[in-house]
Amino acid sequence: EGRLVQSGGGSVQAGGSLRLSCTASEFTFEDHDMAWYRQAPESQCEPISIREHSGRESYADSVKGRFTISQDSDKKTGYLEMNNVKPEDTATYYCSTRVTGYLYSCSGQGSVLGVWGQGAQVTVSS
């Protein structure tokens, strides 16, 4: 069973930039999709960006034009580049191989339907 280990996150002022990383072990994104989700307090787990293993990418309207999903050429590490961040981007961000819609919670998903990273807090101040 593989793992996803996240890094990055932290605090940033509105209008700034931040990059989140997601490194896979025991598998690569060559044959797995990669999705980024986020969950703010009192909110659902929101899917915000997907990169299918075919290379097709998609973004939620809330981040389109500001966030970019990418991967290293070796397909072991994926990234979420966050630009022009807003206070409403404040949330815990998760990467996963599971591609789905909104979930009640990003955490505690287990690994049967996909691998999840441990989460990274992003706080945007105005």
Side-chain angles (χ1 to χ4, degrees), residues 33-80:
D33 299 330
M34 180 178 75
W36 287 94
Y37 299 79
R38 67 183 180 187
Q39 187 161 26
E42 309 300 322
S43 298
Q44 289 183 296
C45 177
E46 175 191 14
I48 57 171
S49 185
I50 296 166
R51 181 182 172 93
E52 299 176 16
H53 64 275
S54 64
R56 187 170 70 173
E57 299 175 0
S58 60
Y59 297 90
D61 288 343
S62 57
V63 306
K64 195 174 295 182
R66 300 187 299 120
F67 291 11
T68 302
I69 193 171
S70 64
Q71 293 170 354
D72 277 347
S73 58
D74 62 4
K75 302 293 186 181
K76 292 183 179 180
T77 299
Y79 304 96
L80 184 69

Side-chain angles (χ1 to χ4, degrees), residues 82-101:
M82 306 166 62
N83 296 313
N84 190 24
V85 295
K86 304 175 182 180
E88 51 263 43
D89 294 323
T90 295
T92 302
Y93 286 71
Y94 297 82
C95 63
S96 177
T97 59
R98 182 180 180 186
V99 175
T100 187

Side-chain angles (χ1 to χ4, degrees), residues 18 21 25-26 40 42 58 62 79 102:
L18 209 59
S21 300
S25 64
E26 300 182 35
E42 309 300 322
S58 60
S62 57
Y79 304 96
Y102 282 78

